[in-house]
Amino acid sequence: MLTSLQNSLVKQIRKLHSAKERHKQQLFLLEGTHLLAEACATDYPLDTVCCTPQWQAAHSQLWELVCSRCHRTEIVSEEVLAAIATTVQPDGVVATAKRDEQENQIALTGLVLAVETLQDPGNLGTIIRTAAAAGASGLWLSDDSVDLDHPKVLRASAGQWFRLNKAVSEDLKATVQQCQEAGMQVIATLPTASVTYWQVDWRKPSLILLGNEGAGLSDDLAAIADTQVKIPLSPGVESLNVAITAALMLYEAQRQMIYG
């Protein structure tokens, strides 16, 4: 059992708390039983899994599954687990996985999200969770946004991170134009728009553009949209949270596809 905080593996995993090290090591953190179970359920390849003896005893079947599909497993003390986790009260297991496995091919059809310069990992995780629940085809993220594999993004996704195709775009404008060329309608969310989001025909292949929490969409992206839509707000209310905005449009699209 690993008990020393000076162990080389412990030091390596602790470094993954920083974005710089996640990029350098090409690894990211998976924390908690639920995320680990979802990774296994979707056959996501794992690198290293560390757990306490208590967790191993309580989750023998999951542990057996993990041991059969990851590079290295270690039993660690509670002190070591607390050191490698980013959460205040970890539930007994922390894993690492390869970053380069996360980006999937996104279909140029169906319902897709393109998110620009998003900074809050909780917002991104919630958008991923909602998009997966609503049956979206995938999500594009601009490369100046929070990391897709930030620990808080994974936790906020409630495990749906593994079930949604997602990728980082080095040039989001070019990606949006590629979607347009493939026949997708591009819908931008702007408070100044004259069209309400439920007036769009969401039964067509659609790309939803979502902007930064404070600044919204850049002018460049907003300008190339086929349609600009707004969400009606009561007087005195300036805006909605970006994840709520995404949810409203995703479920209006689902409503139209089911009921017409």
Side-chain angles (χ1 to χ4, degrees), residues 13 29-32 48-51 81 84-86 90 92-96:
I13 296 176
L29 287 168
L30 287 174
E31 300 179 59
T48 302
V49 179
C50 300
C51 75
L81 193 92
I84 62 177
T86 64
V93 65
V94 172
T96 66

Side-chain angles (χ1 to χ4, degrees), residues 6 33 52 54 66 79 81 105 110 152 159 173 177 204-205 229 245 252:
Q6 302 308 310
T33 305
T52 63
Q54 295 89 335
V66 163
E79 183 183 15
L81 193 92
Q105 187 66 37
K152 288 183 180 178
K173 183 177 180 180
Q177 290 171 328
K204 300 177 183 177
V229 300
T245 297
E252 172 59 19

Side-chain angles (χ1 to χ4, degrees), residues 10-215:
V10 175
K11 288 182 176 180
Q12 176 201 349
I13 296 176
R14 288 184 74 174
K15 288 180 179 179
L16 297 177
H17 291 198
S18 81
K20 180 180 178 181
E21 279 293 327
R22 290 194 296 274
H23 287 251
K24 181 180 177 181
Q25 296 186 38
Q26 284 300 295
L27 293 170
F28 67 97
L29 287 168
L30 287 174
E31 300 179 59
T33 305
H34 181 60
L35 282 178
L36 185 61
E38 287 293 327
C40 290
T42 54
D43 291 323
Y44 196 94
L46 303 170
D47 186 69
T48 302
V49 179
C50 300
C51 75
T52 63
Q54 295 89 335
W55 187 91
Q56 182 193 34
H59 302 88
S60 56
Q61 286 187 319
L62 182 55
W63 178 249
E64 186 177 336
L65 186 60
V66 163
C67 289
S68 70
R69 60 177 60 194
C70 77
H71 174 67
R72 179 177 180 180
T73 57
E74 293 287 349
I75 307 298
V76 302
S77 67
E78 290 190 17
E79 183 183 15
V80 165
L81 193 92
I84 62 177
T86 64
T87 48
V88 177
Q89 294 182 312
D91 77 351
V93 65
V94 172
T96 66
K98 294 286 187 183
R99 295 190 80 234
D100 57 8
E101 299 289 341
Q102 73 181 353
E103 295 191 358
N104 313 113
Q105 187 66 37
I106 297 174
L108 299 177
T109 188
L111 188 60
V112 178
L113 294 152
V115 187
E116 181 187 32
T117 323
L118 201 70
Q119 299 303 308
D120 186 282
N123 281 337
L124 180 55
T126 301
I127 290 171
I128 290 170
R129 180 180 185 178
T130 308
S137 303
L139 177 145
W140 287 102
L141 186 71
S142 66
D143 63 0
D144 56 353
S145 298
V146 63
D147 281 345
L148 266 175
D149 51 30
H150 188 291
K152 288 183 180 178
V153 172
L154 278 105
R155 291 201 301 275
S157 79
Q160 297 310 306
W161 190 93
F162 300 101
R163 300 181 185 276
L164 182 73
N165 289 335
K166 54 205 175 301
V168 174
S169 171
E170 294 181 0
D171 184 342
L172 195 59
K173 183 177 180 180
T175 298
V176 171
Q177 290 171 328
Q178 182 184 10
C179 292
Q180 278 179 315
E181 290 165 5
M184 300 186 76
Q185 63 175 346
V186 176
I187 313 297
T189 50
L190 288 173
T192 55
S194 57
V195 177
T196 305
Y197 74 95
W198 58 67
Q199 294 175 297
V200 170
D201 184 356
W202 291 103
R203 294 168 295 183
K204 300 177 183 177
S206 302
L207 179 72
I208 300 172
L209 299 183
L210 298 167
N212 172 267
E213 291 93 342

